[in-house]
């Protein structure tokens, strides 16, 4: 087992990883930018190292600084969390070259997962249902127009190395495709360093359903839960649930089987998520693999009792998984709200600044994963996630009623947050009835 792990991240996920390490008796090293010197993860870790100035490129993405910190502090493993270096195959290679275990899948799996158009090609070869589309990168606009005509409009242009909803463009006709093609390529180049894009049929009002995979280094691959992540804004998740609702048991079982097959087909190791879109007729299609811990992992944890971060660490340390399927008995219903430092009344504009008051909800079935505290100053340099409010209930309706109560108790003052928006959303009849799809927020709230 590892003796000392460096956490190459910040915010709530760094805190979450430190907690898992402590419970496993592993020492922790926090790295931080100068903007984060008072951050919670720095306060909780056993050791700390400043890795650079506030911009992420000079600190949390600075491989040299992070690796030097790990070597200096004699760490035997690095946990990358999500974002930053978590899906960088070069980082995995460099860690291993320096005898430091990267806690995540091997570089070839990270590479393939990160190349979305390539992953779709591989899934197609392995008979995993995919969305009709270019099945690979588009060579030029002429090809794009031919493919779009074949699959029918609307279509969506997507960045092959994309993430976070960036580089996506919906095109309703050939004219829009012609004008958005270059824009999508340029956005892809500036955000991801490569201008490769691909095309898919645009599915109208789908659900986003994903499968949590756990895989050891000996070929044992299990599904430990499925999540519903259709409540999104600009293709970015805001609320996630477990289990998915209003999708038949038969379809969910099939999705799970295909997800395991997908993971097997690429020799998946460690934790990963296989994402699908499900249309109104319950046809489902693979969209991508995320080769890291997901923000929304707690809804799976709270309904199964598993600690997924511990799984990542134990698998990286060489532990074998046995009979996990028989041990998992999902129970009840969970909902996670991403509490962001954003102003819902001003187009969700980021709202950094000092937190003057901070009261967390509590009581049965409530979990708050956060790094904030009273007088903490939310820096403007990083993502706006302040906290994850995770609610468990025996039934979904109990979880919803509990969520109403918890959102009322949750006080963050001094900055704007998404809490008031969720208070409205939780009373929406279509949400309560589970009539969810990826345009829900746009259609119900006009934002
Ligand atoms: P990213 O990696 O940028 O998050 P994904 O491929 O995971 O991109 O897609 C994110 C979201 O974008 C999906 O959950 C869905 O809401 C929307 N989306 C992606 N592809 C399609 C599609 N072909 N049709 C409809 N919506 C899509």
């Amino acid at each position: 087992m590892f003796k000392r792990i460096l956490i190459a991240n910040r915010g709530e996920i760094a805190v979450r990883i430190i907690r898992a390490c402590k419970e496993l008796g592993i020492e922790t090293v926090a790295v931080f930018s100068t903007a984060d010197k008072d951050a919670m993860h720095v306060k909780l870790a056993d050791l700390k190292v400043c890795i650079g100035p506030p911009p992420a490129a000079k600190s949390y993405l600075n491989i040299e600084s992070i690796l030097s910190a790990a070597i200096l502090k004699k760490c035997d493993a690095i946990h990358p969390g999500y974002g930053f270096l978590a899906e960088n195959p070069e980082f995995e290679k460099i860690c291993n070259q320096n005898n430091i275990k990267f806690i995540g899948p091997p570089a070839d799996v990270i590479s393939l997962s990160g190349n979305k158009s390539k992953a779709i090609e591989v899934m197609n070869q392995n008979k995993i249902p995919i969305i009709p589309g270019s099945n690979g990168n588009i060579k030029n606009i002429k090809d794009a127009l031919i493919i779009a005509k074949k699959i029918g409009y609307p279509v969506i242009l997507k960045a092959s190395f994309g993430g976070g909803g960036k580089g996506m463009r919906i095109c309703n006709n050939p004219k829009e495709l012609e004008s958005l093609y270059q824009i999508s390529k340029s956005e892809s180049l500036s955000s991801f360093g490569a201008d490769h894009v691909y095309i898919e049929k645009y599915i109208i009002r789908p659900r986003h359903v994903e499968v949590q995979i756990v895989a050891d280094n000996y070929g044992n691959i299990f599904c430990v839960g499925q999540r519903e992540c259709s409540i999104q804004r600009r293709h970015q998740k805001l609320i996630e649930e477990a289990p998915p609702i209003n999708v038949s048991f038969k379809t969910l079982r099939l999705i799970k089987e295909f997800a395991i097959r997908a993971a097997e087909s690429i020799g998946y190791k460690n934790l990963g998520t296989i994402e699908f879109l499900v249309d109104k007729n319950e046809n489902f299609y693979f969209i991508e693999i995320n080769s890291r811990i997901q923000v929304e992992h707690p809804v799976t944890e709270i309904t199964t009792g598993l600690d997924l971060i511990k799984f990542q660490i134990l698998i990286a340390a060489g532990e074998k998984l046995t009979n996990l399927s028989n041990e998992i008995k999902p129970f009840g219903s969970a909902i996670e709200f991403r509490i962001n430092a954003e102003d819902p009344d001003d187009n969700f504009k980021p709202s950094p600044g000092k937190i003057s008051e901070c009261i967390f909800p509590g009581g049965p079935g409530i979990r708050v994963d956060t790094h904030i505290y009273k007088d903490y100053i939310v820096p403007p340099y990083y993502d706006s996630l302040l906290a994850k409010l995770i609610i468990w209930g025996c039934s979904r309706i109990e979880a919803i009623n509990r969520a109403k109560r918890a959102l009322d108790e949750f006080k963050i003052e001094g900055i704007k947050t998404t809490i008031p928006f969720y208070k409205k959303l939780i009373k929406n009849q279509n949400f309560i009835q589970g009539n969810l799809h990826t345009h829900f927020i746009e259609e119900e709230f006009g934002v």
Side-chain angles (χ1 to χ4, degrees), residues 314-350:
L314 295 171
I315 290 168
E319 206 134 307
K320 200 168 180 177
L321 299 172
T322 45
N323 268 340
L324 203 49
S325 295
N326 301 335
E327 286 164 26
I328 301 163
K329 305 225 173 350
F331 181 55
S333 190
I335 311 178
E336 174 184 278
F337 299 82
R338 297 191 188 192
I339 313 290
N340 294 335
E342 291 169 2
D343 184 356
D345 294 328
D346 190 5
N347 205 21
F348 292 80
K349 198 170 113 195

mmCIF file of all heavy atoms in Angstrom, residues 314-350:
data_model
loop_
_atom_site.group_PDB
_atom_site.id
_atom_site.type_symbol
_atom_site.label_atom_id
_atom_site.label_comp_id
_atom_site.label_asym_id
_atom_site.label_seq_id
_atom_site.Cartn_x
_atom_site.Cartn_y
_atom_site.Cartn_z
ATOM 1 N N LEU A 314 -6.896 1.710 -3.928
ATOM 2 C CA LEU A 314 -6.603 0.286 -3.705
ATOM 3 C C LEU A 314 -6.285 -0.426 -5.018
ATOM 4 O O LEU A 314 -5.372 -1.250 -5.087
ATOM 5 C CB LEU A 314 -7.785 -0.395 -2.996
ATOM 6 C CG LEU A 314 -8.068 0.109 -1.574
ATOM 7 C CD1 LEU A 314 -9.375 -0.467 -1.036
ATOM 8 C CD2 LEU A 314 -6.920 -0.245 -0.633
ATOM 9 N N ILE A 315 -7.033 -0.093 -6.069
ATOM 10 C CA ILE A 315 -6.763 -0.721 -7.373
ATOM 11 C C ILE A 315 -5.379 -0.317 -7.867
ATOM 12 O O ILE A 315 -4.606 -1.153 -8.337
ATOM 13 C CB ILE A 315 -7.855 -0.340 -8.403
ATOM 14 C CG1 ILE A 315 -9.188 -1.012 -8.041
ATOM 15 C CG2 ILE A 315 -7.428 -0.724 -9.820
ATOM 16 C CD1 ILE A 315 -10.387 -0.484 -8.810
ATOM 17 N N ALA A 316 -5.049 0.980 -7.735
ATOM 18 C CA ALA A 316 -3.724 1.447 -8.176
ATOM 19 C C ALA A 316 -2.611 0.746 -7.392
ATOM 20 O O ALA A 316 -1.522 0.510 -7.910
ATOM 21 C CB ALA A 316 -3.621 2.962 -8.016
ATOM 22 N N ALA A 317 -2.912 0.406 -6.138
ATOM 23 C CA ALA A 317 -1.911 -0.282 -5.308
ATOM 24 C C ALA A 317 -1.851 -1.776 -5.612
ATOM 25 O O ALA A 317 -1.082 -2.508 -4.990
ATOM 26 C CB ALA A 317 -2.215 -0.057 -3.830
ATOM 27 N N GLY A 318 -2.686 -2.251 -6.535
ATOM 28 C CA GLY A 318 -2.594 -3.649 -6.976
ATOM 29 C C GLY A 318 -3.632 -4.580 -6.396
ATOM 30 O O GLY A 318 -3.572 -5.792 -6.597
ATOM 31 N N GLU A 319 -4.586 -4.038 -5.669
ATOM 32 C CA GLU A 319 -5.592 -4.917 -5.063
ATOM 33 C C GLU A 319 -6.518 -5.548 -6.119
ATOM 34 O O GLU A 319 -6.806 -4.939 -7.142
ATOM 35 C CB GLU A 319 -6.427 -4.121 -4.068
ATOM 36 C CG GLU A 319 -6.976 -5.032 -3.024
ATOM 37 C CD GLU A 319 -6.823 -4.498 -1.617
ATOM 38 O OE1 GLU A 319 -5.704 -4.133 -1.202
ATOM 39 O OE2 GLU A 319 -7.834 -4.490 -0.959
ATOM 40 N N LYS A 320 -6.949 -6.761 -5.839
ATOM 41 C CA LYS A 320 -7.810 -7.494 -6.774
ATOM 42 C C LYS A 320 -9.273 -7.353 -6.353
ATOM 43 O O LYS A 320 -9.580 -7.422 -5.162
ATOM 44 C CB LYS A 320 -7.392 -8.965 -6.725
ATOM 45 C CG LYS A 320 -7.808 -9.763 -7.900
ATOM 46 C CD LYS A 320 -7.093 -11.114 -7.870
ATOM 47 C CE LYS A 320 -7.515 -11.929 -9.056
ATOM 48 N NZ LYS A 320 -6.837 -13.200 -9.133
ATOM 49 N N LEU A 321 -10.165 -7.171 -7.331
ATOM 50 C CA LEU A 321 -11.592 -7.084 -7.015
ATOM 51 C C LEU A 321 -12.210 -8.467 -7.154
ATOM 52 O O LEU A 321 -12.008 -9.131 -8.162
ATOM 53 C CB LEU A 321 -12.308 -6.159 -7.994
ATOM 54 C CG LEU A 321 -11.866 -4.704 -8.048
ATOM 55 C CD1 LEU A 321 -12.558 -4.007 -9.203
ATOM 56 C CD2 LEU A 321 -12.196 -4.001 -6.741
ATOM 57 N N THR A 322 -12.958 -8.873 -6.122
ATOM 58 C CA THR A 322 -13.623 -10.165 -6.245
ATOM 59 C C THR A 322 -15.101 -10.016 -5.941
ATOM 60 O O THR A 322 -15.470 -9.351 -4.973
ATOM 61 C CB THR A 322 -13.014 -11.197 -5.261
ATOM 62 O OG1 THR A 322 -12.874 -10.553 -4.021
ATOM 63 C CG2 THR A 322 -11.693 -11.743 -5.742
ATOM 64 N N ASN A 323 -15.900 -10.630 -6.783
ATOM 65 C CA ASN A 323 -17.337 -10.733 -6.496
ATOM 66 C C ASN A 323 -18.058 -9.440 -6.144
ATOM 67 O O ASN A 323 -19.033 -9.462 -5.406
ATOM 68 C CB ASN A 323 -17.550 -11.708 -5.332
ATOM 69 C CG ASN A 323 -17.776 -13.094 -5.854
ATOM 70 O OD1 ASN A 323 -18.130 -13.251 -7.028
ATOM 71 N ND2 ASN A 323 -17.564 -14.078 -5.007
ATOM 72 N N LEU A 324 -17.559 -8.322 -6.684
ATOM 73 C CA LEU A 324 -18.138 -7.035 -6.317
ATOM 74 C C LEU A 324 -19.632 -6.975 -6.643
ATOM 75 O O LEU A 324 -20.423 -6.435 -5.874
ATOM 76 C CB LEU A 324 -17.369 -5.934 -7.061
ATOM 77 C CG LEU A 324 -17.390 -4.540 -6.489
ATOM 78 C CD1 LEU A 324 -17.059 -4.540 -5.014
ATOM 79 C CD2 LEU A 324 -16.388 -3.674 -7.235
ATOM 80 N N SER A 325 -19.999 -7.582 -7.772
ATOM 81 C CA SER A 325 -21.404 -7.515 -8.210
ATOM 82 C C SER A 325 -22.348 -8.054 -7.145
ATOM 83 O O SER A 325 -23.432 -7.508 -6.933
ATOM 84 C CB SER A 325 -21.617 -8.327 -9.475
ATOM 85 O OG SER A 325 -20.900 -7.763 -10.509
ATOM 86 N N ASN A 326 -21.930 -9.141 -6.484
ATOM 87 C CA ASN A 326 -22.818 -9.734 -5.475
ATOM 88 C C ASN A 326 -22.903 -8.880 -4.218
ATOM 89 O O ASN A 326 -23.864 -8.936 -3.467
ATOM 90 C CB ASN A 326 -22.312 -11.127 -5.082
ATOM 91 C CG ASN A 326 -22.253 -12.036 -6.285
ATOM 92 O OD1 ASN A 326 -22.973 -11.808 -7.242
ATOM 93 N ND2 ASN A 326 -21.385 -13.033 -6.243
ATOM 94 N N GLU A 327 -21.849 -8.088 -3.990
ATOM 95 C CA GLU A 327 -21.811 -7.313 -2.748
ATOM 96 C C GLU A 327 -22.612 -6.018 -2.854
ATOM 97 O O GLU A 327 -23.001 -5.444 -1.854
ATOM 98 C CB GLU A 327 -20.358 -6.947 -2.402
ATOM 99 C CG GLU A 327 -19.568 -8.128 -1.870
ATOM 100 C CD GLU A 327 -18.072 -7.880 -1.907
ATOM 101 O OE1 GLU A 327 -17.673 -6.710 -1.865
ATOM 102 O OE2 GLU A 327 -17.322 -8.849 -1.999
ATOM 103 N N ILE A 328 -22.826 -5.548 -4.084
ATOM 104 C CA ILE A 328 -23.471 -4.244 -4.229
ATOM 105 C C ILE A 328 -24.988 -4.368 -4.248
ATOM 106 O O ILE A 328 -25.542 -5.052 -5.096
ATOM 107 C CB ILE A 328 -22.998 -3.544 -5.518
ATOM 108 C CG1 ILE A 328 -21.490 -3.368 -5.445
ATOM 109 C CG2 ILE A 328 -23.655 -2.179 -5.692
ATOM 110 C CD1 ILE A 328 -20.913 -3.084 -6.786
ATOM 111 N N LYS A 329 -25.599 -3.695 -3.284
ATOM 112 C CA LYS A 329 -27.057 -3.701 -3.243
ATOM 113 C C LYS A 329 -27.517 -2.252 -3.146
ATOM 114 O O LYS A 329 -27.745 -1.737 -2.041
ATOM 115 C CB LYS A 329 -27.546 -4.489 -2.019
ATOM 116 C CG LYS A 329 -26.985 -5.910 -1.949
ATOM 117 C CD LYS A 329 -28.023 -6.916 -1.605
ATOM 118 C CE LYS A 329 -27.587 -8.353 -1.689
ATOM 119 N NZ LYS A 329 -26.338 -8.710 -2.267
ATOM 120 N N PRO A 330 -27.647 -1.559 -4.305
ATOM 121 C CA PRO A 330 -28.043 -0.150 -4.265
ATOM 122 C C PRO A 330 -29.349 0.010 -3.490
ATOM 123 O O PRO A 330 -30.256 -0.820 -3.610
ATOM 124 C CB PRO A 330 -28.236 0.226 -5.744
ATOM 125 C CG PRO A 330 -27.497 -0.803 -6.507
ATOM 126 C CD PRO A 330 -27.521 -2.046 -5.682
ATOM 127 N N PHE A 331 -29.412 1.060 -2.701
ATOM 128 C CA PHE A 331 -30.569 1.245 -1.840
ATOM 129 C C PHE A 331 -30.982 2.715 -1.838
ATOM 130 O O PHE A 331 -30.158 3.600 -1.628
ATOM 131 C CB PHE A 331 -30.240 0.768 -0.420
ATOM 132 C CG PHE A 331 -31.381 0.894 0.549
ATOM 133 C CD1 PHE A 331 -32.606 0.298 0.262
ATOM 134 C CD2 PHE A 331 -31.246 1.615 1.728
ATOM 135 C CE1 PHE A 331 -33.681 0.421 1.145
ATOM 136 C CE2 PHE A 331 -32.310 1.730 2.621
ATOM 137 C CZ PHE A 331 -33.525 1.137 2.327
ATOM 138 N N GLY A 332 -32.263 2.967 -2.096
ATOM 139 C CA GLY A 332 -32.789 4.319 -2.013
ATOM 140 C C GLY A 332 -32.448 5.153 -3.233
ATOM 141 O O GLY A 332 -32.098 4.638 -4.295
ATOM 142 N N SER A 333 -32.548 6.466 -3.034
ATOM 143 C CA SER A 333 -32.470 7.394 -4.143
ATOM 144 C C SER A 333 -31.593 8.575 -3.736
ATOM 145 O O SER A 333 -31.693 9.045 -2.596
ATOM 146 C CB SER A 333 -33.915 7.850 -4.403
ATOM 147 O OG SER A 333 -34.008 8.557 -5.583
ATOM 148 N N ALA A 334 -30.730 9.029 -4.648
ATOM 149 C CA ALA A 334 -29.832 10.145 -4.297
ATOM 150 C C ALA A 334 -29.889 11.238 -5.348
ATOM 151 O O ALA A 334 -30.048 10.972 -6.541
ATOM 152 C CB ALA A 334 -28.400 9.628 -4.156
ATOM 153 N N ILE A 335 -29.757 12.478 -4.884
ATOM 154 C CA ILE A 335 -29.712 13.634 -5.786
ATOM 155 C C ILE A 335 -28.538 14.503 -5.355
ATOM 156 O O ILE A 335 -28.362 14.758 -4.158
ATOM 157 C CB ILE A 335 -31.006 14.492 -5.708
ATOM 158 C CG1 ILE A 335 -32.254 13.616 -5.825
ATOM 159 C CG2 ILE A 335 -31.013 15.573 -6.785
ATOM 160 C CD1 ILE A 335 -33.569 14.381 -5.696
ATOM 161 N N GLU A 336 -27.746 14.940 -6.340
ATOM 162 C CA GLU A 336 -26.644 15.865 -6.034
ATOM 163 C C GLU A 336 -26.893 17.206 -6.723
ATOM 164 O O GLU A 336 -27.238 17.258 -7.906
ATOM 165 C CB GLU A 336 -25.309 15.290 -6.533
ATOM 166 C CG GLU A 336 -24.158 16.277 -6.370
ATOM 167 C CD GLU A 336 -22.838 15.776 -6.940
ATOM 168 O OE1 GLU A 336 -22.151 15.000 -6.246
ATOM 169 O OE2 GLU A 336 -22.488 16.141 -8.075
ATOM 170 N N PHE A 337 -26.696 18.270 -5.974
ATOM 171 C CA PHE A 337 -26.807 19.633 -6.521
ATOM 172 C C PHE A 337 -25.404 20.234 -6.539
ATOM 173 O O PHE A 337 -24.737 20.260 -5.503
ATOM 174 C CB PHE A 337 -27.690 20.512 -5.628
ATOM 175 C CG PHE A 337 -29.097 20.010 -5.506
ATOM 176 C CD1 PHE A 337 -29.415 18.998 -4.598
ATOM 177 C CD2 PHE A 337 -30.101 20.540 -6.302
ATOM 178 C CE1 PHE A 337 -30.710 18.527 -4.489
ATOM 179 C CE2 PHE A 337 -31.402 20.071 -6.200
ATOM 180 C CZ PHE A 337 -31.713 19.066 -5.291
ATOM 181 N N ARG A 338 -24.994 20.729 -7.694
ATOM 182 C CA ARG A 338 -23.693 21.412 -7.741
ATOM 183 C C ARG A 338 -23.922 22.869 -7.337
ATOM 184 O O ARG A 338 -24.552 23.628 -8.082
ATOM 185 C CB ARG A 338 -23.100 21.355 -9.143
ATOM 186 C CG ARG A 338 -22.812 19.939 -9.604
ATOM 187 C CD ARG A 338 -21.979 19.970 -10.878
ATOM 188 N NE ARG A 338 -21.855 18.639 -11.450
ATOM 189 C CZ ARG A 338 -21.014 18.322 -12.406
ATOM 190 N NH1 ARG A 338 -20.210 19.252 -12.914
ATOM 191 N NH2 ARG A 338 -20.953 17.095 -12.890
ATOM 192 N N ILE A 339 -23.432 23.226 -6.171
ATOM 193 C CA ILE A 339 -23.592 24.608 -5.692
ATOM 194 C C ILE A 339 -22.413 25.418 -6.248
ATOM 195 O O ILE A 339 -21.265 25.215 -5.845
ATOM 196 C CB ILE A 339 -23.600 24.667 -4.143
ATOM 197 C CG1 ILE A 339 -24.531 23.608 -3.524
ATOM 198 C CG2 ILE A 339 -23.921 26.090 -3.663
ATOM 199 C CD1 ILE A 339 -25.993 23.800 -3.692
ATOM 200 N N ASN A 340 -22.706 26.288 -7.194
ATOM 201 C CA ASN A 340 -21.649 27.054 -7.855
ATOM 202 C C ASN A 340 -21.667 28.509 -7.410
ATOM 203 O O ASN A 340 -22.723 29.046 -7.067
ATOM 204 C CB ASN A 340 -21.847 27.016 -9.381
ATOM 205 C CG ASN A 340 -21.654 25.620 -9.944
ATOM 206 O OD1 ASN A 340 -20.961 24.799 -9.349
ATOM 207 N ND2 ASN A 340 -22.266 25.349 -11.074
ATOM 208 N N ALA A 341 -20.500 29.147 -7.464
ATOM 209 C CA ALA A 341 -20.411 30.596 -7.197
ATOM 210 C C ALA A 341 -20.787 31.311 -8.484
ATOM 211 O O ALA A 341 -19.930 31.770 -9.243
ATOM 212 C CB ALA A 341 -18.988 30.956 -6.771
ATOM 213 N N GLU A 342 -22.091 31.349 -8.744
ATOM 214 C CA GLU A 342 -22.604 31.950 -9.973
ATOM 215 C C GLU A 342 -23.900 32.670 -9.640
ATOM 216 O O GLU A 342 -24.619 32.258 -8.726
ATOM 217 C CB GLU A 342 -22.908 30.864 -11.026
ATOM 218 C CG GLU A 342 -21.673 30.186 -11.571
ATOM 219 C CD GLU A 342 -22.007 28.944 -12.403
ATOM 220 O OE1 GLU A 342 -23.195 28.627 -12.588
ATOM 221 O OE2 GLU A 342 -21.051 28.279 -12.839
ATOM 222 N N ASP A 343 -24.203 33.711 -10.437
ATOM 223 C CA ASP A 343 -25.427 34.463 -10.201
ATOM 224 C C ASP A 343 -26.526 33.989 -11.159
ATOM 225 O O ASP A 343 -26.515 34.333 -12.335
ATOM 226 C CB ASP A 343 -25.152 35.961 -10.410
ATOM 227 C CG ASP A 343 -26.372 36.802 -10.082
ATOM 228 O OD1 ASP A 343 -27.439 36.219 -9.780
ATOM 229 O OD2 ASP A 343 -26.252 38.038 -10.113
ATOM 230 N N PRO A 344 -27.499 33.211 -10.655
ATOM 231 C CA PRO A 344 -28.546 32.699 -11.558
ATOM 232 C C PRO A 344 -29.403 33.813 -12.150
ATOM 233 O O PRO A 344 -30.027 33.619 -13.189
ATOM 234 C CB PRO A 344 -29.386 31.779 -10.681
ATOM 235 C CG PRO A 344 -28.907 31.933 -9.297
ATOM 236 C CD PRO A 344 -27.685 32.777 -9.262
ATOM 237 N N ASP A 345 -29.411 34.988 -11.497
ATOM 238 C CA ASP A 345 -30.208 36.102 -12.037
ATOM 239 C C ASP A 345 -29.429 36.922 -13.058
ATOM 240 O O ASP A 345 -29.955 37.879 -13.617
ATOM 241 C CB ASP A 345 -30.673 37.030 -10.898
ATOM 242 C CG ASP A 345 -31.650 36.313 -9.989
ATOM 243 O OD1 ASP A 345 -32.399 35.453 -10.503
ATOM 244 O OD2 ASP A 345 -31.634 36.577 -8.773
ATOM 245 N N ASP A 346 -28.167 36.589 -13.252
ATOM 246 C CA ASP A 346 -27.364 37.308 -14.238
ATOM 247 C C ASP A 346 -26.657 36.290 -15.146
ATOM 248 O O ASP A 346 -25.431 36.256 -15.233
ATOM 249 C CB ASP A 346 -26.349 38.226 -13.527
ATOM 250 C CG ASP A 346 -25.658 39.168 -14.506
ATOM 251 O OD1 ASP A 346 -26.038 39.178 -15.695
ATOM 252 O OD2 ASP A 346 -24.729 39.889 -14.083
ATOM 253 N N ASN A 347 -27.489 35.444 -15.772
ATOM 254 C CA ASN A 347 -26.978 34.466 -16.736
ATOM 255 C C ASN A 347 -25.864 33.574 -16.167
ATOM 256 O O ASN A 347 -24.938 33.198 -16.866
ATOM 257 C CB ASN A 347 -26.475 35.220 -17.980
ATOM 258 C CG ASN A 347 -26.504 34.336 -19.199
ATOM 259 O OD1 ASN A 347 -27.228 33.333 -19.218
ATOM 260 N ND2 ASN A 347 -25.693 34.660 -20.188
ATOM 261 N N PHE A 348 -25.967 33.261 -14.885
ATOM 262 C CA PHE A 348 -25.020 32.371 -14.206
ATOM 263 C C PHE A 348 -23.573 32.902 -14.305
ATOM 264 O O PHE A 348 -22.628 32.139 -14.455
ATOM 265 C CB PHE A 348 -25.125 30.929 -14.731
ATOM 266 C CG PHE A 348 -26.422 30.267 -14.362
ATOM 267 C CD1 PHE A 348 -27.580 30.512 -15.071
ATOM 268 C CD2 PHE A 348 -26.482 29.409 -13.268
ATOM 269 C CE1 PHE A 348 -28.786 29.918 -14.728
ATOM 270 C CE2 PHE A 348 -27.683 28.798 -12.912
ATOM 271 C CZ PHE A 348 -28.836 29.049 -13.643
ATOM 272 N N LYS A 349 -23.460 34.211 -14.209
ATOM 273 C CA LYS A 349 -22.131 34.840 -14.258
ATOM 274 C C LYS A 349 -21.323 34.448 -13.018
ATOM 275 O O LYS A 349 -21.869 34.426 -11.905
ATOM 276 C CB LYS A 349 -22.335 36.366 -14.277
ATOM 277 C CG LYS A 349 -21.129 37.143 -14.744
ATOM 278 C CD LYS A 349 -21.506 38.581 -14.969
ATOM 279 C CE LYS A 349 -20.795 39.450 -13.951
ATOM 280 N NZ LYS A 349 -21.344 40.793 -13.866
ATOM 281 N N PRO A 350 -20.031 34.130 -13.159
ATOM 282 C CA PRO A 350 -19.231 33.760 -11.987
ATOM 283 C C PRO A 350 -19.260 34.844 -10.906
ATOM 284 O O PRO A 350 -19.302 36.027 -11.226
ATOM 285 C CB PRO A 350 -17.812 33.610 -12.553
ATOM 286 C CG PRO A 350 -18.012 33.328 -13.991
ATOM 287 C CD PRO A 350 -19.258 34.059 -14.405
#
